[in-house]
């Protein structure tokens, strides 16, 4: 039963972790791209979606040749901003989970006290 619970929570953690951290990463990349001012406001959302979706090379290639270095710097900066936030969130979550485990998991049970052994009955008849 414990193994089943561990596997269930592991799968739940994978699914929620990817969803939540991916959303945080995408939002941070979007903020970095929008706040940079290097991308026109009408295309900043598309550029941020492309960067967070793994198409950073397409964003750099779509930039005019004289702005390719700035586009490359923007891609690197937005990735760093997004990764920074999800690393902090992951670290705090891991620390909280570790403290929760320490608080919830019981220590080893104490060994039972030894029972007193009764005196063995004599096997030979006692002479009267």
């Amino acid at each position: 039963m414990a193994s089943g619970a561990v596997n269930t929570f592991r799968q739940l953690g994978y699914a929620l972790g990817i969803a939540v951290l991916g959303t945080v990463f995408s939002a941070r990349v979007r903020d970095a791209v929008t706040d940079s001012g290097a991308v026109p406001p009408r295309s900043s959302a598309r550029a941020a979606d492309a960067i967070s979706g793994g198409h950073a090379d397409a964003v750099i290639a779509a930039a005019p040749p004289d702005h390719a270095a700035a586009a490359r710097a923007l891609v690197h900066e937005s990735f760093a901003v997004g990764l920074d936030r999800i690393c902090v969130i992951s670290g705090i979550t891991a620390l909280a989970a570790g403290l929760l485990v320490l608080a919830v998991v019981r220590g080893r049970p104490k060994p039972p006290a030894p029972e007193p052994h009764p005196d063995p009955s004599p096997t030979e008849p006692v002479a009267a």
Side-chain angles (χ1 to χ4, degrees):
M1 188 160 66
S3 176
V6 167
N7 286 330
T8 299
F9 284 110
R10 180 182 302 142
Q11 295 299 322
L12 183 65
Y14 288 156
L16 286 177
I18 290 171
V20 170
L21 294 177
T23 302
V24 169
F25 177 77
S26 179
R28 292 296 295 161
V29 167
R30 178 173 278 122
D31 290 345
V33 170
T34 303
D35 294 345
S36 72
V39 179
R42 68 181 187 283
S43 50
S44 64
R46 279 188 303 166
D49 289 342
I51 292 171
S52 63
H55 302 289
D57 291 339
V59 172
I60 295 170
D66 55 335
H67 291 94
R72 190 179 326 276
L74 177 63
V75 166
H76 287 270
E77 179 184 340
S78 63
F79 261 92
V81 167
L83 288 176
D84 177 55
R85 181 61 56 97
I86 64 172
C87 286
V88 168
I89 291 171
S90 297
I92 291 170
T93 303
L95 182 63
L99 293 173
L100 181 66
V101 166
L102 284 175
V104 172
V105 174
R106 294 181 221 122
R108 293 185 181 182
K110 295 180 182 178
E115 295 180 19
H117 296 287
D119 291 334
S121 60
T123 55
E124 296 179 16
V126 178

